[in-house]
Amino acid sequence: ISICRDLPNIEVITFSVNGISDLEPLNQCQNLSELYLRKNNIASLNELFYLKNLPRLRVLWLSENPCCGSDPHRYRMTVLRNLPGLQKLDNQAVTEEELSQALVDGEEITAPPAKRNVENGCPETTESSAAESTTETESELMSFSLEETNKIREELGMKPVPRDKFSSFSPRETDCNRKKRNNVLNAILLLMRELDAEGLEIVQQTVGRRLQAFRKKDLQEE
């Protein structure tokens, strides 16, 4: 998720099932309108502090995170009190009545959460977090990431990635580098939708040169 610090104009972010616990890198994404964070490790609703100044945020999917707690009403009211501009929360439309009720039942968040030892969006591994990550099987993680990546590729008019080719960049909770590589890939695919024909040609030329350099390096190593 740290890649978002360098993407201030991004509009849609999909980071579901990625072990994310810190939303601070999103606080500069002023054009962000849709944010999908289902099934991550977000422990505190205080992380909403980083989203409060995003004027265009209309869709948030935060369900199945530890911060949702055991009281669905309190959770929803707190989110809506702090993000009153939302039109949809967890795939459910927000009503005017809910926004009014949130002023009464929701908790106002005025400060960010306590600092944690997090680097590049990959929290330190602990016994508890490792145990939590095992609740999602590797097959479920791969299927979900493959589905979302192929959805993005479909919107770009690209062919879907076969399952047997996806494992090389599948986000594995115990492999931070591989997870980060997948996040970067999805961010690039999303940004490509903003490019015109000239921009896409530049990307194509750059990718071609990079591929040639990698192939030349592989030949030298052999």
Side-chain angles (χ1 to χ4, degrees):
I1 194 172
S2 60
I3 186 69
C4 295
R5 292 192 181 97
D6 301 320
L7 302 171
N9 295 318
I10 194 167
E11 297 181 11
V12 179
I13 296 177
T14 300
F15 277 147
S16 298
V17 196
N18 264 289
I20 289 169
S21 59
D22 179 15
L23 300 186
E24 184 274 333
L26 301 175
N27 65 357
Q28 298 299 318
C29 299
Q30 292 293 298
N31 288 331
L32 187 63
S33 61
E34 298 182 27
L35 178 60
Y36 300 92
L37 294 167
R38 186 181 70 91
K39 285 192 177 183
N40 278 288
N41 294 331
I42 300 168
S44 170
L45 285 176
N46 280 37
E47 293 289 342
L48 296 174
F49 178 83
Y50 299 119
L51 307 181
K52 292 183 68 170
N53 294 320
L54 303 183
R56 300 186 179 182
L57 188 61
R58 296 293 178 266
V59 177
L60 175 64
W61 200 328
L62 193 61
S63 64
E64 299 176 85
N65 275 278
C67 65
C68 299
S70 58
D71 187 342
H73 178 74
R74 177 185 174 279
Y75 153 70
R76 189 171 177 87
M77 291 296 99
T78 296
V79 174
L80 294 181
R81 177 164 183 172
N82 291 278
L83 303 175
L86 289 180
Q87 297 175 355
K88 184 177 288 189
L89 172 60
D90 297 338
N91 208 32
Q92 181 179 340
V94 175
T95 67
E96 291 294 333
E97 290 78 11
E98 283 184 310
L99 291 175
S100 298
Q101 192 64 37
L103 295 175
V104 178
D105 295 346
E107 177 183 345
E108 185 174 3
I109 294 170
T110 59
K115 292 292 184 180
R116 295 177 304 279
N117 192 354
V118 177
E119 182 178 355
N120 294 327
C122 297
E124 277 192 350
T125 300
T126 63
E127 289 184 6
S128 59
S129 63
E132 289 174 359
S133 69
T134 59
T135 61
E136 286 289 340
T137 65
E138 182 174 2
S139 177
E140 287 175 318
L141 287 169
M142 182 184 296
S143 295
F144 190 83
S145 299
L146 178 59
E147 178 183 347
E148 292 201 337
T149 297
N150 281 338
K151 182 179 179 181
I152 295 170
R153 293 174 70 90
E154 180 182 357
E155 292 175 357
L156 294 169
M158 302 169 65
K159 293 181 179 180
V161 179
R163 186 179 181 86
D164 61 342
K165 300 294 184 182
F166 188 77
S167 59
S168 62
F169 53 84
S170 172
R172 186 74 174 105
E173 296 299 325
T174 55
D175 187 344
C176 180
N177 290 331
R178 186 174 295 175
K179 180 162 68 72
K180 181 179 179 181
R181 180 170 54 179
N182 186 55
N183 290 342
V184 171
L185 174 65
N186 282 338
I188 291 171
L189 290 174
L190 285 167
L191 289 172
M192 283 177 63
R193 290 187 293 186
E194 305 299 321
L195 297 177
D196 56 15
E198 182 180 358
L200 289 172
E201 287 178 359
I202 293 173
V203 171
Q204 184 181 36
Q205 293 169 6
T206 303
V207 170
R209 289 194 294 268
R210 290 275 291 169
L211 284 173
Q212 289 179 355
F214 278 121
R215 288 166 182 162
K216 183 177 180 180
K217 181 179 178 181
D218 289 341
L219 289 174
Q220 291 175 345
E221 290 177 352
E222 291 177 359

